[in-house]
Amino acid sequence: MKHKVLVVDLDGTLYSINTFHHFLKFLLIHCIKNFELFLLVKIVTIIKFRITRLISHSKMKYYILSYIKDKQNINYSEFAHKISKYKNIIPEVSNSNYDTKILATAAPLCYAEIISIENNFHFCSATDFPKAGFHNFSENIRETKKINVMHILKRNNSTEIDTFITDHIDDLPLMKISNKNIIINSNKELESQLKSNSIEFETLRV
């Protein structure tokens, strides 16, 4: 019997929001409540650098995760609970016909893994805490995201993705290898990009 695999993106797909932006707000409130002023200043500074485009989004994420990687008092479960109200209803996510369900996201693993467990995914592929400098930082996006998903499949004796669900052109590498693509709340610009890349897809409004 064929082993059926479902892969789902998080931001803008499973959840209607950019979870990392909400996570930054959560961290700022955490710092204020716990009088962690030094951490607060560092986070605010990095956000300002990003707003003024002095650093990339990837570098901002690297610094934020570097600052909090050894913090033991950040309640990631509380954050995951706070944003659960933004969950989209996607029939495939609750479909028991899939043998393996993977949540694949560029969001930080520290809370994405909690979301994946709460939504009955078998695996979570996300951006982990940095282990070295920025040049060794691997954000789980685009081709890296595809490679990490394929590693999960290989470890579990699977060879292909039956259904992939996303909302963004960044996921083109995964779309190219999926048997079926479902695009959440697509627009004409995105559809044009997909057609130019010969990607067949279905749309779902949520």
Side-chain angles (χ1 to χ4, degrees), residues 161-166 171-172 174-184 194 198-204:
I161 300 169
D162 292 276
T163 304
F164 177 52
I165 307 177
T166 186
D171 284 323
L172 187 62
L174 276 167
M175 293 184 212
K176 288 181 176 179
I177 62 171
S178 176
N179 294 332
K180 177 181 177 181
N181 294 296
I182 298 177
I183 308 301
I184 300 295
L194 295 176
S198 301
I199 300 295
E200 295 185 4
F201 60 93
E202 299 177 8
T203 59
L204 176 65

Side-chain angles (χ1 to χ4, degrees), residues 141-157:
I141 193 170
R142 302 185 184 92
E143 189 68 25
T144 299
K145 185 174 178 178
K146 169 198 161 185
I147 291 170
N148 289 336
V149 167
M150 295 310 295
H151 282 166
I152 292 173
L153 295 183
K154 185 176 180 180
R155 290 198 303 268
N156 290 273
N157 299 315

Side-chain angles (χ1 to χ4, degrees), residues 5-118:
V5 175
L6 171 70
V7 180
V8 182
D9 176 48
L10 176 57
D11 292 1
T13 303
L14 182 64
Y15 282 16
S16 62
I17 58 170
N18 183 312
T19 61
F20 187 62
H21 290 170
H22 281 251
F23 184 57
L24 292 176
K25 296 175 187 176
F26 177 81
L27 288 177
L28 293 175
I29 293 171
H30 164 86
C31 290
I32 294 169
K33 284 183 176 179
N34 293 277
F35 303 101
E36 297 188 40
L37 299 184
F38 184 54
L39 178 59
L40 176 64
V41 170
K42 291 200 296 183
I43 293 175
V44 169
T45 301
I46 288 301
I47 293 174
K48 285 182 178 179
F49 283 169
R50 176 55 190 155
I51 291 173
T52 55
R53 299 188 180 277
L54 292 175
I55 60 173
S56 65
H57 184 274
S58 180
K59 185 164 283 191
M60 177 183 69
K61 186 176 291 184
Y62 162 77
Y63 280 115
I64 295 296
L65 293 179
S66 295
Y67 295 156
I68 67 173
K69 67 179 295 185
D70 295 320
K71 300 288 294 181
Q72 301 298 317
N73 65 337
I74 298 175
N75 193 333
Y76 299 111
S77 294
E78 178 187 353
F79 171 69
H81 175 72
K82 280 180 178 292
I83 63 172
S84 61
K85 61 185 177 182
Y86 296 106
K87 179 184 175 181
N88 287 323
I89 303 302
I90 301 174
E92 284 75 10
V93 173
S94 57
N95 189 334
S96 59
N97 289 329
Y98 291 100
D99 303 286
T100 297
K101 297 178 182 179
I102 303 170
L103 183 65
T105 175
L109 182 65
C110 55
Y111 66 79
E113 190 167 35
I114 296 169
I115 292 172
S116 73
I117 292 171
E118 290 180 345

